[in-house]
């Protein structure tokens, strides 16, 4: 009954909760690295490292809950090999992670990747060839790395002016992090993130480095994330 309720929620029209997880390396000593430790109501999880045996073990449970899991592709990696891995191992798509550097030839990368389901671009789209924006189901902006509201709004607005539809664009922030608003007042990043997302028609929000403090004494990251997803569910979609 619980699983049925969770999957029914994810099939309904709602604001998306997207998470970037520094997933388990082959040897891990912390539950924070594993898909199984994330809130069940996340819609999409983007793995930030090459999938490990632990990730593959958790994948069936994520699918049972209706959570889509994306395989990572970094600039310089063999796109054809990553596409084959995503298809063979049962991932729901691939996330092109251009957080630190753009892809040298986005067209060739997408062609080599092939049909993999969902394709997401994570990074500043202004560093990419706009010819290929239509190939992406979502674009996750690197607002998690910024501090000031003016810079975050500029990043969002430039992406919209570049031709990325609002309903494919997500801002990102670190749970428990803070941004500076127009008065330079420190503000909860997730709260301000919603204020900058919903009036522009963005379809949800991305949580970056979601597993960073799993062992915090009060479980800050997990609780903040869970409460934020609840707020997304209660917020009318614009």
């Amino acid at each position: 009954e619980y699983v049925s309720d969770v999957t029914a929620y994810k099939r309904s029209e709602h604001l998306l909760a997207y998470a970037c997880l520094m997933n388990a390396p082959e040897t891990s000593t912390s539950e924070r690295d594993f898909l199984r430790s994330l809130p069940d109501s996340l819609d999409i999880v983007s793995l930030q490292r090459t999938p490990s045996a632990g990730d593959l073990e958790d994948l069936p449970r994520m699918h049972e809950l209706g959570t889509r899991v994306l395989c990572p592709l970094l600039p310089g990696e063999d796109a054809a090999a990553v596409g084959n891995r995503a298809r063979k191992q049962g991932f729901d798509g691939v996330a092109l992670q251009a957080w630190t550097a753009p892809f040298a030839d986005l067209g060739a990368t997408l062609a080599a990747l092939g049909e993999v389901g969902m394709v997401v671009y994570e990074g500043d789209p202004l560093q990419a060839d706009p010819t290929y924006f239509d190939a992406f189901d979502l674009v996750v902006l690197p607002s998690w790395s910024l501090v000031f509201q003016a810079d975050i709004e500029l990043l969002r607005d430039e992406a919209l002016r570049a031709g990325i539809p609002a309903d494919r664009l997500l801002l990102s922030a670190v749970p428990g992090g803070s941004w500076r608003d127009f008065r330079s007042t420190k503000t909860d990043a997730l709260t301000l993130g919603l204020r900058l997302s919903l009036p522009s028609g963005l379809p949800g929000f991305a949580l970056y480095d979601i597993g960073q403090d799993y062992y915090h004494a009060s479980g800050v990251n997990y609780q903040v994330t869970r409460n934020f997803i609840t707020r997304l569910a209660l917020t009318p979609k614009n």
Side-chain angles (χ1 to χ4, degrees):
E1 184 177 348
Y2 168 76
V3 170
S4 177
D5 287 344
V6 171
T7 54
Y9 162 69
K10 292 182 184 179
R11 288 193 300 269
S12 68
E13 185 177 8
H14 64 284
L15 293 166
L16 294 174
Y18 184 106
C20 300
L21 175 69
M22 293 294 180
N23 49 303
E26 287 300 335
T27 302
S28 176
T29 58
S30 173
E31 276 296 311
R32 71 183 182 180
D33 296 332
F34 292 94
L35 287 164
R36 60 177 175 259
S37 297
L38 297 176
D40 293 343
S41 47
L42 285 167
D43 292 289
I44 304 166
V45 179
S46 168
L47 301 182
Q48 303 290 291
R49 296 187 179 112
T50 300
S52 69
D55 299 319
L56 299 182
E57 183 179 326
D58 291 342
L59 199 54
R61 173 61 175 172
M62 305 303 286
H63 287 158
E64 183 184 14
L65 293 165
T67 304
R68 289 175 282 180
V69 183
L70 307 180
C71 188
L73 173 62
L74 277 65
E77 285 191 313
D78 185 336
V82 171
N84 288 333
R85 176 189 300 137
R87 288 184 288 269
K88 181 179 179 181
Q89 296 178 342
F91 286 94
D92 300 279
V94 170
L96 281 68
Q97 294 171 6
W99 298 122
T100 58
F103 286 80
D105 189 335
L106 198 52
T109 297
L110 291 168
L113 193 60
E115 181 59 48
V116 291
M118 180 174 244
V119 180
V120 176
Y121 188 89
E122 297 178 355
D124 186 349
L126 298 183
Q127 297 183 21
D129 185 341
T131 305
Y132 301 102
F133 286 168
D134 286 344
F136 301 115
D137 296 283
L138 290 171
V139 174
V140 182
L141 297 176
S143 52
W144 62 268
S145 63
L146 301 177
V147 175
F148 296 100
Q149 178 176 348
D151 294 328
I152 296 160
E153 290 199 27
L154 181 62
L155 179 67
R156 178 203 63 195
D157 293 346
E158 286 182 338
L160 292 171
R161 282 195 292 269
I164 300 173
D167 61 2
R168 296 189 197 175
L169 199 62
L170 297 176
L171 293 177
S172 61
V174 177
S178 60
W179 285 337
R180 296 276 182 176
D181 65 15
F182 281 132
R183 296 184 179 86
S184 200
T185 302
K186 189 178 287 188
T187 306
D188 172 60
L190 301 187
T191 299
L192 182 54
L194 280 186
R195 282 167 37 200
L196 300 181
S197 297
L198 300 189
S200 299
L202 276 56
F205 202 77
L207 305 163
Y208 185 79
D209 202 6
I210 192 173
Q212 66 171 330
D213 71 343
Y214 184 86
Y215 279 126
H216 191 286
S218 60
V220 169
N221 198 326
Y222 185 94
Q223 291 186 28
V224 167
T225 299
R226 184 184 62 189
N227 291 339
F228 183 70
I229 295 171
T230 300
R231 288 165 58 194
L232 286 177
L234 294 174
T235 304
K237 182 172 181 181
N238 295 348

